Amino acid sequence: MSSFEIVVLVVGSGLLLLGGLSGYALFTRALKVSDQFGDETNIGTLWGLFILGLSAGLLLIWWALP
């Protein structure tokens, strides 16, 4: 495995971890029962991190591994 593939694997793993953590944050936010409407701050950012982190992370890991 070349050093470039190692870097791509580390970046892909980091993105996958970031996507997983944002998914966990979305899940815990969904489990909280909130009576207040309009408290939707940073939900779009969490969804973006979740989708981009999982898809790009899996793609980079797939590309780096033989």
Side-chain angles (χ1 to χ4, degrees):
M1 187 180 266
S2 69
S3 58
F4 175 73
E5 289 174 337
I6 292 171
V7 169
V8 170
L9 182 65
V10 168
V11 170
S13 299
L15 281 172
L16 190 64
L17 180 67
L18 184 64
L21 289 175
S22 65
Y24 177 74
L26 283 169
F27 182 68
T28 56
R29 186 173 176 93
L31 289 180
K32 291 180 184 176
V33 177
S34 176
D35 293 338
Q36 296 178 359
F37 291 105
D39 187 26
E40 302 296 324
T41 55
N42 299 328
I43 294 295
T45 304
L46 284 175
W47 275 108
L49 282 173
F50 177 67
I51 292 171
L52 182 70
L54 287 183
S55 61
L58 287 174
L59 178 69
L60 288 177
I61 290 172
W62 174 76
W63 188 34
L65 293 178

